[in-house]
Amino acid sequence: MRSYDPDLTPAWKRSAPVPEVPADRDLVVEEVTTGFCGAVIRCEAGTVTLEDRFGKHRVFPLDPRGFLLEGRVVTLVRPSAAPTRPTRTASGSVAVPGARARVARAGRIYVEGRHDAELVERVWGDDLRIEGVVVEYLEGVDDLPAIVAEFAPAPDARLGVLVDHLVPGSKESRIAAQVTSPHVLVVGHPYIDVWEAVKPSSLGIPSWPRIPRGQDWKTGVCEALGWPENTGAAWQHILSRVTSYKDLEPALLGRVEELIDFVTAP
């Protein structure tokens, strides 16, 4: 006997089903109509509250197909049971529920720019707070030797520096070589900009485009990928796709871990 389908809409016009995902606390999603990206902090009957990295809260209805999770459309649903605590931080470290932030150490980690600092916070933020390590950005490394001298590194105040495009023969490598204090560690990654340290697969692109020398790299990337030429918005899009260390290239992961170990060593 033929089964009866009460839905008379042709099959080719029906929307493909999307997965239902429990809105567990700390789940990072993006609301499809506004682009607001944040972590779930509360889920009540019919609504979910997200908190972005600046601490701003937004409440959204639990509409079907209303959110993106790792770039895929999903329907958020209210969790059926008490949410479980994450067992790992975004960096892959063992999570310590209820741990308080340590008083900031005298040591610091310096990175070149705001995007570098935001990416480090995104992945290593929990670890850094537990260890009491503050990350600051320099807006470039041209004055690094003078900055190091002003910081006055010492055995109990170590300084770690993360440099973009630290490859043999580069301007950055020549500047880094001028820093010789045993209480300073300067390391770097090979990428022109920290954007490239995000895996292309996490962004749904085949690879990072090669931009001709002399052209502004970030603007060239936006143009090559067909993104609006708004580098600030482009970075927010990139950052929203980073949920853990798995979204970053090993060449950056190892250097940041090295710096954290250096500034927290006894």
Side-chain angles (χ1 to χ4, degrees), residues 13-29:
K13 284 190 175 182
R14 299 176 191 173
S15 298
V18 300
E20 292 187 347
V21 177
D24 292 331
R25 187 177 180 86
D26 296 327
L27 180 73
V28 177
V29 295

Side-chain angles (χ1 to χ4, degrees), residues 3 9 31 54 61 97 113-114 127-128 198:
S3 61
T9 305
E31 203 275 331
F54 299 110
R114 181 171 60 86
D127 308 59
L128 293 168
V198 178

Side-chain angles (χ1 to χ4, degrees), residues 209 211-212 215-226 229 231:
I211 307 304
Q215 181 180 0
D216 179 74
W217 189 84
K218 291 176 181 176
T219 302
V221 165
C222 291
E223 181 179 348
L225 294 177
E229 291 186 14
T231 57

Side-chain angles (χ1 to χ4, degrees), residues 58-170:
R58 291 280 299 273
V59 180
F60 297 101
L62 291 174
D63 291 337
R65 308 173 68 91
F67 298 86
L68 295 176
L69 176 61
E70 297 182 352
R72 295 186 176 184
V73 178
V74 298
T75 296
L76 287 188
V77 296
R78 192 174 183 183
S80 58
T84 58
R85 292 181 178 271
T87 59
R88 297 278 174 178
T89 67
S91 71
S93 301
V94 176
V96 184
R100 293 185 177 182
R102 176 174 173 166
V103 175
R105 296 173 182 266
R108 291 287 188 273
I109 292 177
Y110 285 170
V111 297
E112 284 206 49
R114 181 171 60 86
H115 293 179
D116 306 66
E118 289 175 346
L119 188 61
V120 169
E121 164 62 26
R122 182 83 166 190
V123 176
W124 289 274
D126 291 339
D127 308 59
L128 293 168
R129 279 182 283 278
I130 290 176
E131 295 291 348
V133 177
V134 175
V135 175
E136 300 179 6
Y137 63 90
L138 304 173
E139 293 293 359
V141 293
D142 289 351
D143 298 323
L144 183 60
I147 291 170
V148 170
E150 182 179 358
F151 181 83
D156 60 346
R158 297 184 176 192
L159 179 61
V161 184
L162 179 68
V163 178
D164 296 343
H165 198 226
L166 190 61
V167 296
S170 67

